[in-house]
Each structure stands twice: as C-alpha cells, then as structure tokens.
Amino acid sequence: MIQIEQIKKNFDQLQVLDGVSLSIDKPGIFAVLGPNGSGKTTLLKSILGMVLPQQGDIQLNGVSTLRAWKYRNQIGYLPQIARFPDNLTVQEVIEMIKSIREQASNENPLLDRFGMWSFMNKKLGNLSGGTRQKVNLVLTFMFDCELYILDEPTAGLDPVALIQLKELIQEEKAKGKTFLITTHIMNLVEELSDEIVFLLDGKIYFKGSLDQLKKETKQTDLEHAIAQILK
Ligand SMILES: Nc1ncnc2c1ncn2[C@@H]1O[C@H](COP(=O)(O)OP(=O)(O)OP(=O)(O)O)[C@@H](O)[C@H]1O
Ligand SMILES: [Mg+2]
C-alpha cells in the first residue's frame, strides 16, 4: 500500500529525514511517534507531496507519488495546524472543500457524531479550539479514503469528543482502512495502534508492536518505554 524508500529531507543545514524507509502493506493503525521536531509532520507531508524530499521515493499502491497529485484523493489528511479563512462559516468551509475535492462526501453522520449542527452558521474565527478541531475532523472524514493521515488529531478535544473520535477510527479500521497517526497522547496509542513507528535523529529507530517495544526497553508501559529510548 505505502512504500517509502530511503527518503532524505533537509531544510538548509537541518537534516530532518535521513534515509527513512517504511513499508505498510496491510490495513491497520500505525502510530508515528517521536519527540518534538523529530520529523513526524515532515514525513506525513512527504507522503502527501506537500514536502518534496531531496532523495528517495514514495509509492502508493505501486505508483510513485513524486510530482503526481491524483493519488491525494485516496488520502484523508488532518493537518497538525489547519488554516482556513476565519470569516468563513462551518457550512461554507465544508462546501468549499467539497467543491475543491469533487468527490462524493458524507458529512451529515459526522456532524451528528460531533454535535456540530448548532455551529453551522458560526464563523470559524469565533469557534473554540476544540470545536474548530471537530470541523477539521469532519472535513477529513467526510470523504471515503483508503488511507487517513492524522497529525495530532486529539488536539483540544474534550473527553466526549475523544471517545467519538476513537470510535470513528475503529469503525473505519474495521472497514479495512489504514491510518497513520501522530500523537503525544500515549494512551491513545495504547488503545488504538497496531504498530508503532518511532522516529529519532532522522531515522526510524523502532518499528513494531507495543508489546515488542515494551519488551525491548524492559518497561511495562509505553510512556516509560519511550522515556527509556530518549534517555
Ligand atoms: N518548512 C520548513 N522550513 C524549515 N524548517 C522546517 C520546515 N518544516 C519543518 N522544519 C523543521 O524540521 C524539523 C522537524 O519538524 P516537524 O514539524 O516534522 O517535527 P514533528 O516531529 O512533527 O514535531 P512536533 O512533535 O512538534 O509536531 C523541525 O526542526 C522544524 O523546525
Ligand atoms: Mg508535527
């Protein structure tokens, strides 16, 4: 499904990705972890073609994504920081994204799920941070995609919304979807992820199951396992 081969990305002197290879060939939930600045967002943006690596190749279903764009319709992307014009209403931004994407969308169940109907005519700039994040989630999940890339999806969500999000992810996974998720919320990883991909110093330091990671670091919980790696 996704083949990332030896990608390297630097911003001037800063080598952010230094030969990252990753192969995902089965559906499931992959947690991309690593400290602040370790290149998680850069890696995810490379898959989307929003960052162009200087070296290496990324293939989706056997086709190179470099300088291609149509494949993006197969991906639902939640950016770490989503910026839409503050003066648009929720309804307007949904319509705008639908018209850009030109794909069938199914936003109503998501608007129900996240309790968004009363906000439809409110301007984005006047929404609370968590409510804005719910809008972003609706925009991500309203298109049926085989791959969802979620960069810090829980940012600002209250516990009720968090439960809704976890259920949504699990329902989509049950349909055979693949997720790449970055988060600093360790219990989300423990609850949801099938595999962990840990980025450090521009490379994949670890790829495997939570149990493997705990075993290798001789720790009983993920937080301590990661603290052990970073020592
Ligand atoms: N467009 C850019 N120009 C210059 N430097 C950049 C750019 N984008 C990212 N960087 C740098 O690359 C490094 C990796 O950034 P990235 O956003 O990928 O980290 P991250 O792992 O997602 O961190 P976080 O956990 O804080 O979200 C950082 O040092 C960042 O400042
Ligand atoms: Mg990031």
Side-chain angles (χ1 to χ4, degrees), residues 169-216:
I169 291 173
Q170 266 155 342
E171 284 168 28
E172 291 300 316
K173 178 192 161 181
K175 295 180 196 161
K177 309 297 180 71
T178 299
F179 285 84
L180 283 176
I181 303 180
T182 72
T183 179
H184 294 292
I185 311 295
M186 290 304 118
N187 75 10
L188 187 81
V189 179
E190 289 184 295
E191 272 182 60
L192 288 185
S193 68
D194 298 305
E195 270 202 40
I196 291 170
V197 176
F198 194 89
L199 276 182
L200 194 63
D201 298 332
K203 296 196 161 50
I204 293 182
Y205 182 88
F206 172 88
K207 178 176 184 280
S209 69
L210 183 61
D211 283 343
Q212 274 171 285
L213 180 66
K214 287 188 204 163
K215 220 184 238 169
E216 282 187 24

Side-chain angles (χ1 to χ4, degrees), residues 31-80:
V32 179
L33 306 182
N36 293 133
S38 57
K40 302 179 298 295
T41 297
T42 304
L43 177 65
L44 300 183
K45 282 187 173 174
S46 301
I47 297 172
L48 287 148
M50 296 164 72
V51 160
L52 278 182
Q54 281 94 359
Q55 280 185 49
D57 191 23
I58 300 175
Q59 297 191 347
L60 198 69
N61 298 327
V63 181
S64 176
T65 60
L66 296 182
R67 292 176 179 79
W69 50 274
K70 263 205 154 165
Y71 75 95
R72 290 182 187 173
N73 274 354
Q74 299 164 44
I75 304 176
Y77 174 50
L78 179 83
Q80 185 166 15

Side-chain angles (χ1 to χ4, degrees), residues 92-125:
E92 285 166 346
V93 77
I94 290 173
E95 295 307 324
M96 182 182 84
I97 299 298
K98 279 163 66 171
S99 69
I100 292 171
R101 190 109 170 200
E102 292 179 332
Q103 253 176 299
S105 71
N106 190 16
E107 62 276 21
N108 289 358
L110 293 161
L111 294 167
D112 285 339
R113 184 187 290 261
F114 291 111
M116 290 303 293
W117 290 106
S118 57
F119 297 100
M120 297 306 278
N121 295 317
K122 293 224 160 73
K123 290 188 192 311
L124 292 179

Side-chain angles (χ1 to χ4, degrees), residues 212-219 224-226 228-229:
Q212 274 171 285
L213 180 66
K214 287 188 204 163
K215 220 184 238 169
E216 282 187 24
T217 54
K218 300 192 176 64
Q219 299 296 321
H224 285 90
I226 285 172
Q228 182 71 28
I229 294 176

